[in-house]
Amino acid sequence: PLDSKVEAFKKDLRKRVRGDLHTDEMSRGLYATDASIYQMFPVAVFLPLDEEDVKAAVKTAYEHGIPILPRGGGTSLGGQAVGAALVLDFSKYMNKLLELNLEESWVRVQPGMVRDELNVMLAEHGLHLSIDPATANRANVGGMIGNNSSGTKSIIYGKMVDQVLEAKVLLANGELMEYKELSPEEYEEKK
């Protein structure tokens, strides 16, 4: 029964998404490990083209009872990037710098943006993302947020939680949330 559930999910997903969907054993095998000692084959691997593709994939997984697992560089040391789930890999298409605000010194990026690539762009303006994990040349910002990455300079600059101003988050049930600091008035209005 589990195999038929998974096959129905894959078939339905293929109809609803536009990005790269990989269900073959070799592709799944490539995503069965991360930088940890763990190995677990995903149900399928999906590389979404954009936010709409992510929404369609998450909604389909939710409807079929399939777990989701966001992933980028796979640099997690504790096995966070592996699991029997639909792996969403943001590193191929959703890896852009969307906005740079020089006046306020902040950026808006997609989750697949590599930390070192971001810092090359920011260096032109005398800025940098101060979080410095050992895997910075392949660590994705989305994963750094999810893992609350830090690094050797965390005693000076803090961890990712200290660097993120706001986040747009798609929950497993497909609900879109925006998290940011609110003034007391904004909180009362939202409540």
Side-chain angles (χ1 to χ4, degrees):
L2 181 60
D3 286 342
S4 62
K5 174 183 172 179
V6 168
E7 289 310 311
F9 162 69
K10 291 177 188 178
K11 186 176 179 182
D12 196 16
L13 183 61
R14 195 169 300 282
K15 290 183 216 173
R16 296 183 182 191
V17 296
R18 297 170 289 118
D20 303 343
L21 178 60
H22 302 286
T23 58
D24 61 286
E25 188 172 348
M26 185 180 84
S27 296
R28 291 173 40 247
L30 293 172
Y31 285 83
T33 61
D34 59 6
S36 71
I37 62 170
Y38 303 104
Q39 181 178 33
M40 188 176 292
F41 274 72
V43 171
V45 176
F46 180 55
L47 289 70
L49 292 176
D50 54 28
E51 191 175 310
E52 293 307 311
D53 236 6
V54 176
K55 289 177 184 176
V58 169
K59 181 178 181 184
T60 307
Y62 183 74
E63 289 170 358
H64 288 268
I66 302 293
I68 58 168
L69 178 62
R71 177 180 171 134
T75 58
S76 302
L77 298 174
Q80 298 98 308
V82 298
L86 169 64
V87 168
L88 299 170
D89 181 348
F90 297 100
S91 66
K92 184 174 182 180
Y93 299 115
M94 296 187 68
N95 57 12
K96 312 283 185 298
L97 170 65
L98 300 174
E99 186 176 358
L100 169 57
N101 185 315
L102 293 175
E103 289 178 14
E104 298 177 15
S105 299
W106 57 260
V107 296
R108 187 167 55 95
V109 300
Q110 292 178 313
M113 168 66 75
V114 172
R115 185 270 193 185
D116 278 1
E117 292 174 14
L118 173 61
N119 274 348
V120 167
M121 293 179 220
L122 294 177
E124 298 173 22
H125 307 285
L127 300 171
H128 74 286
L129 174 59
S130 58
I131 306 306
D132 65 335
T135 57
N137 66 345
R138 55 203 180 280
N140 290 192
V141 173
M144 291 173 64
I145 292 169
N147 290 323
N148 195 23
S149 294
S150 56
T152 59
K153 298 180 183 118
S154 63
I155 193 134
I156 299 166
Y157 297 112
K159 302 172 288 202
M160 275 307 279
V161 69
D162 304 307
Q163 305 295 321
V164 176
L165 298 175
E166 61 183 73
K168 187 187 322 183
V169 178
L170 185 66
L171 302 180
N173 68 359
E175 184 178 357
L176 188 62
M177 302 292 291
E178 292 192 32
Y179 297 103
K180 64 181 178 178
E181 188 174 331
L182 300 173
S183 69
E185 297 78 27
E186 289 171 322
Y187 176 75
E188 286 301 320
E189 185 178 317
K190 189 170 187 146
K191 192 170 77 166

